[in-house]
Amino acid sequence: MSKILVAYFSASGVTAGAAKEIAEAVGGDLFEIRPEEPYTAADLDWRNKKSRSSLEMTDPDSRPAMAAPAPDMARYDTVFVGFPIWWGVEPRVVDTFLESRDLTGKTVIPFATSGGSGMPYAQRHLQGLYPALRWEQGELVTARTAAGWAKAALGM
């Protein structure tokens, strides 16, 4: 049986809820992608062009430091990567995670939460940034739909 990691970044707790449902449904380990400097409400104000999240998202090279290193990926065959969609794509701290460990040969399955954006653009963005990874089709989920989708994604 394959070993599964469910890594996620959650700014408000919504993505965390979906990640926990996925991990429970597929028997995976959970890893929270936390920025070294936690985001404040002011940092997350997308209407303020000078807020931390706005500045990070307008700089494609931004890679906020993580609070804890990612687990050893040698232990895993499949990695679910979850995030809220910001500016149509993954938050930059998710890129920090993806670049922090070698995911070559792993099946990587993105999932996201969003109040208005869809998954197709975010998925294409990830595949463009990390073309060497073996991506499976991602999905926009809620805590209610996450478990069923994850099981279907793995053929369970």
Side-chain angles (χ1 to χ4, degrees), residues 119-132:
M119 189 66 186
Y121 181 77
Q123 173 113 23
R124 285 191 305 275
H125 183 261
L126 285 166
Q127 290 171 318
L129 280 179
Y130 308 103

Side-chain angles (χ1 to χ4, degrees), residues 33-108:
I33 303 167
R34 291 182 299 117
E36 188 173 76
E37 181 183 335
Y39 291 99
T40 66
D43 291 336
L44 297 172
D45 184 358
W46 58 271
R47 294 167 300 212
N48 177 354
K49 291 183 182 193
K50 299 226 185 265
S51 74
R52 180 173 154 208
S53 60
S54 294
L55 293 173
E56 287 176 1
M57 294 308 293
T58 56
D59 177 3
D61 295 324
S62 176
R63 297 295 183 269
M66 292 188 334
D72 177 11
M73 292 297 152
R75 300 175 31 210
Y76 300 102
D77 303 309
T78 301
V79 180
F80 283 89
V81 179
F83 50 89
I85 295 179
W86 289 3
W87 287 260
V89 298
E90 76 287 352
R92 301 293 185 227
V93 72
V94 173
D95 295 323
T96 304
F97 166 78
L98 291 169
E99 294 169 9
S100 72
R101 294 285 191 251
D102 183 6
L103 296 174
T104 305
K106 313 294 179 200
T107 298
V108 184

